[in-house]
């Protein structure tokens, strides 16, 4: 059962005694298993009886619990937790243009972004998310708040064709912000900088190409909303006079549909026409079912994407359009939504959906070699989840139990990069009460 043979073992952290769902190639589930961590990496996986002498600086007893890979939130706007509940029950473009963007224009300075991101980190770690892909203004403030919380993140610096809270000087200055952001955070152990052109309807064709060229030059993830509103193709025609047979074909014609793209939503596609293009260009797709339902944006062709071999992860979107940051809820909804739409209960089985939150989510953001499964040589990002609550028993199928019954409140410990950042349901690095007090000040301003 063990991944490597040892007679004795020295490690920083030993997690032991739980039921381990590895999400490795064999999709193994190990009972009464243990995992050793050294210098932020997974050093060994197996049964404690296989090694005569294990010396650990810290031991985390997971007896009677799940030991799982950390979950990956493939698309969010973490600072928007401060806008939670501010503008509910509106259509997407009305929501954006009449409420969200004006509020951000007035309030979204670096402190706003830092406070909102810290609040989201508290919420995400408490629900077992260890890595998130973010696109927002002041990306450096997002990165700083995430790293201070001990969270792993892709932090995309927003670029768009109008003035924003961090850029009143135009497109070229926005690209300079990206360069500075990339320089500051390149090589960080937890943070990967990225570039985030908002969407095809809000960024001109030549600017999309410039953003993509910069992403290739600096080796940055290219985060973008794609085919979210049904009207996007028409908006591109109206805004830029561009010929748009489909949004996916339009992006391919510009040369920006490549493997470093993390495409959020991707709702309005033709399965026969567009999905082969996504597959050929190895684009990562992030499905956000709660946000898409709440804004009535539509339902993406996720089962077809998966059957095409496209990497599809799950995302919460921002808390202003969801309104929480729980991948447990996204998993449950993603499984049931597509069963209902296709009138087929065999569609989107639990194992497939759990893959979307873990190993396939890692593939969607281009991090599957480091994240998404519990394997020797991968980063030590994992969560420990209680199994002793009424809704967790009995268990017959681990994946069904995790997708359909488990809750955010079941998460009791979180390890990121080998560091215990959340333990006994309390953050270890963030001051929760200070964050809450800072959030209250913004609530008063926004009320």
């Amino acid at each position: 059962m063990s991944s490597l043979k040892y007679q004795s073992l020295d490690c920083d952290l030993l997690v032991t005694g739980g039921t381990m769902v590895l999400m490795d190639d064999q999709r193994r589930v190990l009972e009464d298993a243990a995992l050793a961590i050294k210098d932020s990496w997974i050093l060994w996986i197996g049964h404690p009886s296989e090694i005569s002498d294990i010396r650990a600086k810290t031991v985390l007893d997971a007896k009677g619990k799940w030991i799982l890979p950390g979950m990956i939130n493939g698309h969010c706007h973490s600072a928007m937790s401060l806008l939670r509940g501010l503008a509910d029950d509106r259509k997407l473009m009305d929501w954006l243009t009449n409420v969200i963007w004006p509020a951000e224009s007035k309030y979204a300075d670096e402190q706003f972004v830092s406070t909102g991101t810290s609040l989201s980190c508290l919420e995400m770690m408490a629900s077992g998310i260890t890595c998130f892909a973010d696109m927002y203004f002041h990306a450096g403030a997002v990165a700083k708040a995430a790293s201070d919380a001990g969270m792993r993140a892709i932090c995309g610096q927003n670029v768009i064709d109008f003035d924003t809270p961090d850029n009143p000087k135009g497109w070229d200055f926005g690209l300079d912000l990206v360069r500075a952001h990339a320089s500051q955070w390149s090589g960080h152990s937890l943070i990967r900088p990225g570039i985030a052109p908002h969407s095809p309807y809000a960024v001109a064709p030549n600017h999309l190409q410039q953003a993509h060229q910069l992403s290739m030059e600096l080796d940055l993830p290219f985060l973008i909303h794609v085919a979210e509103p049904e009207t996007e193709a028409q908006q591109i025609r109206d805004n830029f006079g561009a010929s748009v047979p489909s949004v996916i074909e339009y992006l391919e014609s510009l040369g920006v549909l490549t493997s470093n793209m993390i495409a959020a939503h991707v709702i309005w596609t033709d399965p026969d026409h567009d999905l082969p293009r996504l597959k050929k260009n190895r684009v990562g797709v992030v499905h956000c079912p709660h946000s898409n339902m709440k804004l009535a944006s539509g339902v993406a062709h996720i089962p077809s994407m998966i059957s095409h071999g496209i990497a599809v992860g799950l995302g919460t979107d921002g808390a202003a359009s969801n309104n929480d940051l729980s991948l447990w809820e996204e998993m449950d909804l993603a499984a049931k939504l597509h069963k209902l739409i296709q009138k087929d209960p065999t569609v989107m089985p639990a194992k497939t959906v759990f893959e979307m939150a873990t190993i396939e989510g890692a593939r969607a953001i281009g991090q599957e070699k480091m994240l998404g499964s519990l394997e020797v040589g991968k980063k030590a990002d994992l969560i420990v989840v209680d199994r002793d609550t009424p809704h967790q028993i009995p268990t017959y199928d681990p994946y069904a139990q995790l997708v359909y019954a488990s809750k955010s409140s079941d998460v009791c410990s979180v390890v990121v990069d080998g560091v215990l950042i959340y333990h006994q349901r309390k953050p270890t690095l963030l001051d929760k009460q200070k964050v809450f007090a800072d959030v209250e000040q913004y609530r008063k301003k926004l009320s």
Side-chain angles (χ1 to χ4, degrees):
M1 183 169 66
S2 60
S3 302
L4 290 175
K5 299 294 184 181
Y6 292 91
Q7 289 185 336
S8 63
L9 189 66
D10 290 296
C11 62
D12 298 322
L13 176 63
L14 180 70
V15 185
T16 185
T19 299
M20 192 178 300
V21 182
L22 277 75
M23 302 312 294
D24 59 358
D25 289 344
Q26 295 78 41
R27 299 297 188 261
R28 291 179 296 161
V29 178
L30 308 181
E31 298 291 344
D32 193 21
L35 177 149
I37 296 167
K38 182 77 171 176
D39 297 330
S40 82
W41 302 93
I42 297 174
L43 177 66
W44 171 84
I45 294 171
H47 193 282
S49 64
E50 297 171 3
I51 299 177
S52 59
D53 184 20
I54 301 178
R55 295 179 295 274
K57 295 177 183 177
T58 303
V59 176
L60 180 57
D61 185 0
K63 184 177 180 180
K65 306 178 189 296
W66 300 107
I67 305 171
L68 310 173
M71 292 185 174
I72 294 170
N73 184 356
H75 176 68
C76 73
H77 313 283
S78 57
M80 292 182 77
S81 59
L82 293 183
L83 305 177
R84 189 193 329 256
L86 182 67
D88 288 337
D89 306 323
R90 293 171 178 258
K91 293 183 178 180
L92 173 61
M93 298 313 298
D94 172 42
W95 175 79
L96 274 176
T97 60
N98 295 323
V99 181
I100 297 301
W101 284 344
E104 290 173 331
S105 177
K106 186 174 182 179
Y107 294 109
D109 58 13
E110 287 192 62
Q111 186 56 52
F112 175 100
V113 171
S114 177
T115 300
T117 301
S118 295
L119 177 62
S120 289
C121 285
L122 284 172
E123 183 177 358
M124 285 191 281
M125 72 173 68
S127 69
I129 292 168
T130 56
C131 175
F132 64 98
D134 191 274
M135 50 191 300
Y136 208 62
F137 320 114
H138 298 295
V142 176
K144 177 67 163 55
S147 64
D148 286 349
M151 294 281 286
R152 193 180 301 281
I154 295 175
C155 300
Q157 172 62 48
N158 181 80
V159 287
I160 196 168
D161 277 356
F162 50 79
D163 288 351
T164 59
D166 59 352
N167 179 15
K169 299 181 180 180
W171 177 258
D172 290 340
F173 183 76
L175 295 184
D176 287 341
L177 289 177
V178 174
R179 292 185 183 95
H181 176 57
S183 176
Q184 180 178 359
W185 291 97
S186 178
H188 193 277
S189 61
L190 293 174
I191 304 301
R192 187 175 183 198
I195 186 170
H198 180 273
S199 59
Y201 65 82
V203 179
N206 63 316
H207 287 169
L208 280 175
Q209 290 173 319
Q210 290 173 16
H212 183 263
Q213 181 179 352
L214 186 59
S215 78
M216 300 301 287
E217 175 189 327
L218 300 179
D219 188 27
L220 304 177
F222 187 86
L223 300 87
I224 185 171
H225 302 96
V226 174
E228 181 180 7
E230 186 176 8
T231 57
E232 181 157 286
Q234 185 60 52
Q235 288 175 286
I236 294 169
R237 286 190 285 268
D238 293 344
N239 292 347
F240 309 119
S243 175
V244 187
S246 78
V247 175
I248 302 300
E249 190 171 348
Y250 168 70
L251 293 172
E252 186 179 50
S253 73
L254 295 178
V256 305
L257 198 73
T258 57
S259 61
N260 70 333
M261 178 182 283
I262 302 173
H265 305 295
V266 198
I267 299 167
W268 295 97
T269 60
D270 180 320
D272 296 327
H273 184 78
D274 294 325
L275 302 195
R277 287 178 161 82
L278 292 171
K279 168 62 176 175
K280 179 183 69 175
N281 292 291
R282 296 182 292 128
V283 172
V285 171
V286 182
H287 183 37
C288 305
H290 264 103
S291 176
N292 296 161
M293 288 181 67
K294 188 181 177 208
L295 293 170
S297 299
V299 181
H301 298 288
I302 300 301
S304 294
M305 291 183 190
I306 292 172
S307 68
H308 275 79
I310 297 166
V312 183
L314 284 171
T316 61
D317 211 346
S321 63
N322 187 333
N323 292 21
D324 61 25
L325 306 176
S326 169
L327 283 190
W328 301 98
E329 294 188 23
E330 299 300 332
M331 286 195 296
D332 183 66
L333 181 60
K336 294 172 181 174
L337 171 64
H338 295 283
K339 296 178 195 301
L340 176 65
I341 293 296
Q342 299 203 12
K343 300 180 180 179
D344 182 355
T346 69
V347 168
M348 296 284 280
K351 181 186 286 188
T352 296
V353 177
F354 193 70
E355 289 170 342
M356 292 169 67
T358 54
I359 188 61
E360 287 299 300
R363 192 161 75 95
I365 65 169
Q367 296 288 297
E368 71 274 18
K369 293 182 180 179
M370 303 282 283
L371 310 175
S373 62
L374 301 178
E375 301 181 68
V376 169
K378 281 196 168 185
K379 279 292 186 179
D381 291 10
L382 60 96
I383 63 176
V384 178
V385 179
D386 274 340
R387 298 178 63 188
D388 62 352
T389 51
H391 62 270
Q392 286 274 21
I393 56 173
T395 297
Y396 302 106
D397 178 281
Y399 300 106
Q401 189 72 24
L402 291 166
V403 170
Y404 298 127
S406 299
K407 314 296 180 188
S408 292
S409 57
D410 297 324
V411 176
C412 50
S413 296
V414 176
V415 176
V416 177
D417 214 42
V419 177
L420 195 59
I421 69 165
Y422 184 80
H423 186 48
Q424 297 178 340
R425 294 183 170 84
K426 295 179 181 179
T428 64
L429 301 177
L430 276 182
D431 183 339
K432 179 178 175 180
Q433 296 309 314
K434 182 182 185 307
V435 174
F436 281 12
D438 291 343
V439 170
E440 176 61 14
Q441 296 304 309
Y442 281 104
R443 186 198 66 78
K444 292 176 180 177
K445 292 178 183 180
L446 287 158
S447 295

